[in-house]
Amino acid sequence: MKRRAAATLVLALLTGCEAEPQPTTPPAVQAAKYDAIYVWPGVRPAPDNTAKTVYLLDGEVRRAGAARLEQLRMGVPKLPGRTVWLVVRAERLDWNEATYAAILADLARWEEAGNSLAGLQVDFDAATRGIDGYARFLQGLRKRLPQKWKLSITGLMDWSAHGDHQALAGLAQTIDEVVVQTYQARATIPGYEQYFARMERFPIPFRVALVEGGAWQAPPMLAQHPMFRGYVVFLLSPAKPKQ
């Protein structure tokens, strides 16, 4: 009787205790499933990549020395049938007229080569509390940029959580889109869901930048956001093997 009772107790414990559900790992980003990509010099898209929109890094305005465009791309790209953005990575905003002239000249050359040129993107990590100053710089850039070309910028996820709504609304009067960065190096920033949960009032048309191979599960609110315009995948070069 004691053995039977013990066996009954064990069976009850086994059948009554269900395993706790394990959190699912978000799927890895596959560039081929998206229609817009970032391509930096030295990175080659896969042959089967059919992205309709391509953001190409042209050069950098670096912190050291005098402000000038350091061109990183050899020659002029030719991408018929795709929409092209010329990207300038900026570490500073005290551009001189020679810097503006070099960028405008590259835009003209890219368009003359037969590309469907959307415009210019400035890739600058503007601090959330520095949006006002960044907006003034962008106003000056917009005045120099021919109206046929759009102006895009990159933005931090923190803008949605702590950015001043009035300052963001001011940006919306100058730029055509912001591409919100969700990654650092080769990985998605943890906790991105919390930032997007605060984007209900974000006033600027935006895309979301994902890193190739990074973990990503779209927040439910994103597809319903009136300003959401899709994704851009940052392509990576193959990782170097560890020594």
Side-chain angles (χ1 to χ4, degrees):
M1 293 293 293
K2 290 182 178 179
R3 290 183 180 178
R4 184 179 298 175
T8 302
L9 177 60
V10 171
L11 181 61
L13 291 174
L14 290 175
T15 57
C17 298
E18 298 181 359
E20 294 184 3
Q22 298 298 314
T24 58
T25 302
V29 173
Q30 300 179 38
K33 294 182 177 181
Y34 296 85
D35 65 359
I37 54 176
Y38 274 115
V39 182
W40 262 214
V43 176
R44 291 183 177 275
D48 62 347
N49 191 288
T50 58
K52 297 177 181 178
T53 302
V54 184
Y55 293 73
L56 294 176
L57 180 64
D58 179 46
E60 298 177 341
V61 182
R62 295 171 178 165
R63 186 174 292 107
R68 67 190 185 96
L69 178 67
E70 296 281 353
Q71 291 179 318
L72 302 176
R73 184 168 296 278
M74 301 297 293
V76 176
K78 295 182 180 181
L79 296 172
R82 304 194 186 195
T83 299
V84 178
W85 287 89
L86 185 152
V87 182
V88 172
R89 172 69 183 146
E91 296 179 349
R92 59 198 291 178
L93 299 179
D94 58 336
W95 296 7
N96 52 41
E97 291 305 320
T99 304
Y100 290 112
I103 294 170
L104 292 174
D106 280 356
L107 284 163
R109 277 193 290 269
W110 286 26
E111 187 172 72
E112 289 167 1
N115 294 298
S116 177
L117 192 64
L120 170 67
Q121 181 180 91
V122 179
D123 180 6
F124 177 72
D125 296 333
T128 303
R129 294 186 178 182
I131 293 176
D132 284 335
Y134 190 30
R136 288 191 291 273
F137 162 80
L138 292 169
Q139 288 168 3
L141 175 57
R142 177 71 267 182
K143 290 178 181 178
R144 294 173 171 85
L145 190 66
Q147 288 297 318
K148 64 180 178 178
W149 292 325
K150 296 178 180 179
L151 180 57
S152 170
I153 64 172
T154 60
L156 305 179
M157 287 192 294
D158 188 60
W159 288 9
S160 64
H162 302 109
D164 179 79
H165 186 76
Q166 189 171 0
L168 291 172
L171 268 183
Q173 303 303 313
T174 304
I175 64 173
D176 296 284
E177 70 166 19
V178 57
V179 180
V180 180
Q181 310 293 296
T182 66
Y183 56 88
Q184 283 185 323
R186 306 176 76 92
T188 303
I189 298 172
Y192 61 85
E193 304 91 344
Q194 300 173 22
Y195 291 98
F196 284 99
R198 303 183 183 184
M199 287 194 70
E200 291 88 352
R201 298 175 61 218
F202 197 75
I204 309 170
F206 70 94
R207 288 178 177 262
V208 175
L210 310 176
V211 65
E212 184 178 21
W216 176 257
Q217 184 67 53
M221 54 70 63
L222 202 53
Q224 283 75 43
H225 199 294
M227 293 295 178
F228 179 57
R229 299 295 184 266
Y231 296 95
V232 187
V233 177
F234 185 86
L235 300 188
L236 296 176
S237 55
K240 295 180 179 180
K242 296 181 180 179
Q243 301 294 331

